[in-house]
Amino acid sequence: MSSLHLLPLLFLILLFPILTTPSPDRDRPTYPQFLGRFSHRKPNSNSNSYSYETRHYTQQLDHFSFIGDTLAGDSHFQQRYLLGSSDQWARPGGPIFFYCGNEGDIAWFAENTGFVWEIAPRFNALVVFAEHRYYGESMPYGSKEAAYSGAKSLAYLTSAQALADYATLIVDLKRNMSSEDSPVVLFGGSYAGMLAAWMRLKYPHIVIGALASSAPILQFDDIVPADAFYNIVSNDFKRESESCFNSIKKSWDVLEAEGKDQNGLLKLTKTFQICHTLSNTGDLLDWIDSAYSYLGMVDYPYPSDFLMPLPANPIKEVCRHVDDDSDGKTLAERIYAGVNVYYNYTGNYTCFDLDDDPHGMNGWQWQACTEMIMPLASNPETSMFPPYDFSFADREYECRMTYNVSIRPHWITTEFGGHNISTVLKKFGSNIIFSNGLLDPWSGGGVLQNISESIIALVAPLGAHHIDLRPSTDQDPDWLVNFREAEINIIEGWLSDYYHAIGASSSVLADRLEHAGVSSR
């Protein structure tokens, strides 16, 4: 029997998993992650024919102390990075396009970030994709088992340590290539977009600018409404069909009640084609919840296979099934037909297993228990999801039970800022593009207005999760083509300003601008 194995944790759409045994009554939802808990695509290096070499860098485990960690007798680990072909790189001093790795296998993100690869030849830029520590193959202590053995070994999994990794890797690369004058532009989508923006603020002497796509840097403390995420997902469905929205809103109670009937869990197991008999409705409802949230993120206007193989405008297709009550279909059957668009559009799977992590992202559980405390709530007046109020106390309890650690809900805003962001960044920041699509539920925590002449917000009303970074297609709408061109023009301006600022002679400057694909300003 073929089965679809699914991520056991929810960062990519339920930002924090249920850490304790789910209640049959499901008194609270899981929290969205950035990519997708229930996705099945395996990292497939070079599937888009991007030319790169896989390398490893001996990285410091702890950048912020001077005593080596003795837990495993090793204070370093091997960080993987992908180095693009240097055939077209204009050395010395040509630009470097550096992607800040996300919470997963870097080959998967390289495969799905075609924008960087596609524009690099235009600038004769060297491309680097760096893997985030504790994800993919970049495991401290020699193995994932050792790295994830407990709170002590996971203590070095922080955003600040990851940024320091990227900074030291960039400095070392430039030194080894005798190209200390090369300007570095950062790229990142979702969590990686947050890292790119934060790195530009923390290391402005190392990087000249950052494109932060779908980066919810304001989804902390009480900076934005906690119910924004689920409201946006709900509106994505309502814009396609109000009856679809209403049916989904009604379905949670209906499915909960069915699960309590005699043999109800067995019936639901069969209706939704779950491989193993459900022990409670909570697991099923989380699985359905995840599908809707991910669909809000990847509601692209063309077929895609980022998280799952999906048709163009997948929410429209889901609602077509949910609204189809012909032949006496029950609500449960219609809901299944809808979520099956997300989980099994190809029809390759005969059942679903709710426990797998194909992209190596389950380190997010630790991050969501320490510093990445992003409050999410569901408002019954505006959301199609069950009502839920975020509780710091509940999160603290869950994290104590799982890791015996206390959450630090205000650390990110202390470390990187967020409150009064316009005032602060207008004075102390520069050269950041915050790009967002308003269909993306994470846009509720994004920067949606220009802050200064060089901190720009590009907003696409019909855009989904970091759609601008995805590979271009023949089906890209005109607005997306123009959106990307605006980003390219801004980056070109950064590079031109940099080459003028370093004081190169007129002849050298002209040569560098020409080789970097940049016009003189």
Side-chain angles (χ1 to χ4, degrees):
M1 174 180 290
S2 175
S3 64
L4 173 57
H5 294 278
L6 307 169
L7 286 166
L9 307 175
L10 281 177
F11 173 67
L12 301 186
I13 277 212
L14 297 176
L15 226 183
F16 187 82
I18 288 181
L19 301 178
T20 55
T21 303
S23 164
D25 295 328
R26 191 178 186 264
D27 56 357
R28 58 187 175 81
T30 50
Y31 312 130
Q33 302 184 151
F34 289 119
L35 294 183
R37 167 182 174 177
F38 299 113
S39 57
H40 74 268
R41 298 195 64 241
K42 304 289 184 180
N44 182 12
S45 176
N46 284 348
S47 70
N48 279 313
S49 300
Y50 302 134
S51 177
Y52 61 76
E53 176 186 352
T54 300
R55 294 189 178 185
H56 294 83
Y57 176 69
T58 301
Q59 189 61 262
Q60 192 81 22
L61 178 61
D62 183 6
H63 294 281
F64 306 114
S65 73
F66 297 90
I67 302 175
D69 183 60
T70 59
L71 181 63
D74 192 355
S75 59
H76 297 79
F77 69 98
Q78 295 302 303
Q79 180 184 15
R80 179 171 58 155
Y81 66 98
L82 312 179
L83 187 68
S85 171
S86 60
D87 292 345
Q88 75 277 355
W89 190 41
R91 316 179 195 216
I96 297 173
F97 287 174
F98 188 95
Y99 186 91
C100 301
N102 302 56
E103 68 294 3
D105 190 294
I106 194 59
W108 182 43
F109 291 103
E111 174 188 337
N112 283 280
T113 312
F115 178 71
V116 175
W117 299 103
E118 291 167 12
I119 70 170
R122 177 168 175 170
F123 293 96
N124 289 314
L126 183 67
V127 174
V128 181
F129 276 74
E131 192 161 65
H132 194 297
R133 58 170 54 204
Y134 287 83
Y135 292 105
E137 297 178 6
S138 299
M139 291 293 164
Y141 306 116
S143 70
K144 182 175 182 178
E145 290 72 24
Y148 282 47
S149 62
K152 188 173 183 180
S153 60
L154 284 165
Y156 304 104
L157 174 49
T158 69
S159 55
Q161 295 280 8
L163 293 184
D165 288 343
Y166 301 151
T168 55
L169 174 58
I170 290 170
V171 170
D172 189 77
L173 277 174
K174 292 172 67 172
R175 181 187 303 115
N176 287 338
M177 294 185 295
S178 300
S179 192
E180 284 86 350
D181 285 341
S182 286
V184 178
V185 177
L186 300 176
F187 296 82
S190 199
Y191 172 51
M194 300 163 74
L195 293 174
W198 291 337
M199 186 169 181
R200 168 59 185 161
L201 297 174
K202 286 288 187 180
Y203 297 94
H205 55 295
I206 293 178
V207 300
I208 70 163
L211 169 52
S213 179
S214 297
I217 64 168
L218 304 181
Q219 195 73 51
F220 296 92
D221 292 355
D222 57 353
I223 300 175
V224 298
D227 60 3
F229 181 97
Y230 284 111
N231 283 345
I232 294 173
V233 176
S234 299
N235 288 332
D236 290 346
F237 280 80
K238 183 178 284 189
R239 68 186 285 269
E240 296 295 351
S241 166
E242 189 156 357
S243 61
C244 177
F245 169 93
N246 290 331
S247 293
I248 292 172
K249 187 177 181 71
K250 177 183 176 182
S251 69
W252 309 105
D253 289 339
V254 170
L255 295 175
E256 189 73 64
E258 288 187 18
K260 293 178 180 178
D261 289 343
Q262 185 175 9
N263 297 321
L265 291 175
L266 180 60
K267 292 177 181 178
L268 289 175
T269 299
K270 293 180 178 179
T271 297
F272 286 87
Q273 300 296 307
I274 307 303
C275 296
H276 306 291
T277 302
L278 293 165
S279 59
N280 59 74
T281 56
D283 291 343
L284 175 64
L285 299 185
D286 292 341
W287 182 72
I288 296 170
D289 180 314
S290 298
Y292 298 147
S293 298
Y294 296 133
L295 283 160
M297 293 170 60
V298 296
D299 194 23
Y300 299 128
Y302 49 73
S304 66
D305 61 353
F306 176 38
L307 299 182
M308 297 287 195
L310 292 171
N313 304 301
I315 290 180
K316 182 187 293 291
E317 181 68 9
V318 170
C319 283
R320 186 177 69 82
H321 288 283
V322 173
D323 285 340
D324 181 10
D325 58 0
S326 63
D327 302 323
K329 293 185 179 75
T330 67
L331 181 57
E333 290 170 337
R334 288 153 48 200
I335 293 297
Y336 167 70
V339 298
N340 200 49
V341 171
Y342 179 74
Y343 288 122
N344 195 21
Y345 186 68
T346 61
N348 291 336
Y349 299 95
T350 58
C351 72
F352 304 97
D353 188 337
L354 310 185
D355 189 21
D356 191 17
D357 180 9
H359 299 302
M361 295 184 292
N362 61 11
W364 190 258
Q365 181 173 355
W366 166 265
Q367 291 187 259
C369 261
T370 49
E371 60 179 3
M372 302 300 291
I373 312 300
M374 305 170 76
L376 298 176
S378 176
N379 183 343
E381 299 299 320
T382 53
S383 170
M384 69 182 191
F385 294 89
Y388 169 66
D389 290 323
F390 180 84
S391 167
F392 287 110
D394 286 349
R395 180 71 65 85
E396 173 74 13
Y397 173 77
E398 293 159 355
C399 295
R400 278 284 182 186
M401 293 292 293
T402 305
Y403 296 111
N404 194 30
V405 296
S406 290
I407 62 175
R408 295 185 183 178
H410 310 299
W411 176 245
I412 288 294
T413 53
T414 301
E415 174 78 358
F416 301 115
H419 292 283
N420 302 315
I421 190 167
S422 294
T423 301
V424 173
L425 293 192
K426 188 177 293 184
K427 293 182 178 180
F428 302 108
S430 64
N431 291 8
I432 302 174
I433 301 170
F434 290 104
S435 64
N436 282 280
L438 297 185
L439 297 184
D440 176 18
W442 290 112
S443 67
V447 176
L448 303 180
Q449 294 183 338
N450 292 344
I451 291 176
S452 69
E453 290 185 357
S454 66
I455 300 185
I456 306 299
L458 297 179
V459 179
L462 298 179
H465 201 51
H466 51 68
I467 188 173
D468 52 328
L469 294 186
R470 294 196 45 71
S472 61
T473 75
D474 294 337
Q475 301 172 64
D476 288 345
D478 289 343
W479 66 259
L480 179 55
V481 175
N482 295 335
F483 194 92
R484 288 173 173 147
E485 195 62 33
E487 294 175 332
I488 292 170
N489 290 337
I490 294 170
I491 293 169
E492 179 178 302
W494 294 345
L495 292 172
S496 179
D497 290 345
Y498 170 80
Y499 285 123
H500 280 89
I502 62 175
S505 66
S506 58
S507 59
V508 173
L509 174 61
D511 182 66
R512 285 186 173 179
L513 291 175
E514 179 182 358
H515 282 293
V518 176
S519 58
S520 180
R521 289 158 62 95

